[in-house]
Amino acid sequence: MDNRQLQQMVLDELDFEPSIDSANIGVVADDGVVTLTSHVPSYAQKVAAEQAARRVKGVHGVAQEIEVRYASDKRTSDDEIAKRALSIIRWDTTIPDDAVQVTVQKGLVTLTGKVAWQFQKNAAEKAVRRLSGVVGVLNDIELIPRPIASDIKKKIEQALTRRAHIEADAIRANVTDGNNVKLEGKVDCWDERQAVERAAWSVDGVQFVQDRLTIGR
């Protein structure tokens, strides 16, 4: 597939995604790496645009250069964003009460605090993405150290084997320092790569996942 074909496929996927106003998004393709440029009216659309691009067959990397531009009459003050962020995080039952703190500067939301699981850290970020006025999210939430399981590698391998769409034999999970996981090998698409990473994070005792997986050409 040449660069022009890949560029058009990404543009078509952006147009197809109903949550994105793609009129002002530019796409440049170069040997499997797609650069997204120009601007969108919300941070949620910026995230959705990157996710849409990653879904396209032949995309092996995405450079995100889209800006978030709110209309002047739709700008939200930092203190209002912070209040709304804390409120929506409290409503999420997967996130422990008072575990996450929020600071906002010029629309950039920084999340801090400590949680036990990676999915809780991800949930906090996801909760604030769609808030009006947010131009970006910096997730500095820490994971609380948990007891190191002796069979982390075995549990990850078993989890991968159970997933029908993942070729487990093509993936290596190496454990260092007791609870740090390095994933290596090859997958067919971004969705598979994310599924493998989620499987690794789901094993009790995992504190850090280094994703070195490559997407097959």
Side-chain angles (χ1 to χ4, degrees):
M1 183 187 306
D2 62 28
N3 291 332
R4 184 175 297 180
Q5 289 175 314
L6 184 58
Q7 178 188 37
Q8 188 58 54
M9 288 176 65
V10 173
L11 287 170
D12 290 344
E13 185 66 18
L14 292 172
D15 288 337
F16 181 75
E17 173 55 53
S19 66
I20 303 171
D21 179 2
S22 61
N24 294 311
I25 299 179
V27 176
V28 177
D30 183 13
D31 194 25
V33 177
V34 170
T35 302
L36 303 176
T37 62
S38 198
H39 59 90
V40 291
S42 72
Y43 180 67
Q45 289 197 33
K46 177 177 179 176
V47 174
E50 181 173 344
Q51 292 173 339
R54 292 187 186 279
R55 288 197 298 264
V56 176
K57 184 178 181 179
V59 172
H60 303 290
V62 176
Q64 175 62 278
E65 296 182 6
I66 295 176
E67 296 180 14
V68 178
R69 296 183 186 176
Y70 288 96
S72 58
D73 60 343
K74 292 186 177 180
R75 292 187 181 278
T76 308
S77 64
D78 286 346
D79 60 340
E80 185 63 27
I81 294 173
K83 290 177 183 177
R84 293 178 181 177
L86 286 171
S87 179
I88 197 170
I89 288 172
R90 290 192 187 105
W91 275 100
D92 192 323
T93 57
T94 66
I95 304 171
D97 292 341
D98 302 321
V100 177
Q101 292 78 52
V102 176
T103 58
V104 185
Q105 184 175 20
K106 295 182 179 180
L108 176 63
V109 177
T110 300
L111 303 175
T112 55
K114 293 184 178 181
V115 295
W117 292 91
Q118 179 69 21
F119 78 84
Q120 295 170 329
K121 177 176 179 177
N122 294 343
E125 179 176 341
K126 186 177 180 180
V128 302
R129 282 178 183 171
R130 297 184 179 278
L131 294 177
S132 178
V134 173
V135 300
V137 179
L138 181 61
N139 195 341
D140 283 341
I141 298 173
E142 299 178 32
L143 296 180
I144 300 171
R146 302 195 303 275
I148 299 175
S150 60
D151 55 352
I152 286 179
K153 179 178 174 66
K154 180 179 178 180
K155 287 184 177 180
I156 292 175
E157 291 172 346
Q158 290 174 339
L160 295 177
T161 301
R162 289 193 297 268
R163 286 158 173 77
H165 60 290
I166 295 176
E167 187 62 45
D169 291 342
I171 298 168
R172 299 181 301 280
N174 299 311
V175 180
T176 59
D177 297 327
N179 58 0
N180 293 338
V181 177
K182 179 188 289 186
L183 298 173
E184 296 178 308
K186 184 177 289 187
V187 292
D188 291 334
C189 62
W190 281 100
D191 285 346
E192 287 190 14
R193 181 175 180 176
Q194 291 177 334
V196 173
E197 189 171 332
R198 284 196 300 270
W201 276 118
S202 298
V203 175
D204 192 25
V206 171
Q207 190 69 22
F208 179 77
V209 176
Q210 185 178 14
D211 189 344
R212 293 289 186 88
L213 296 169
T214 59
I215 298 175
R217 292 177 179 271

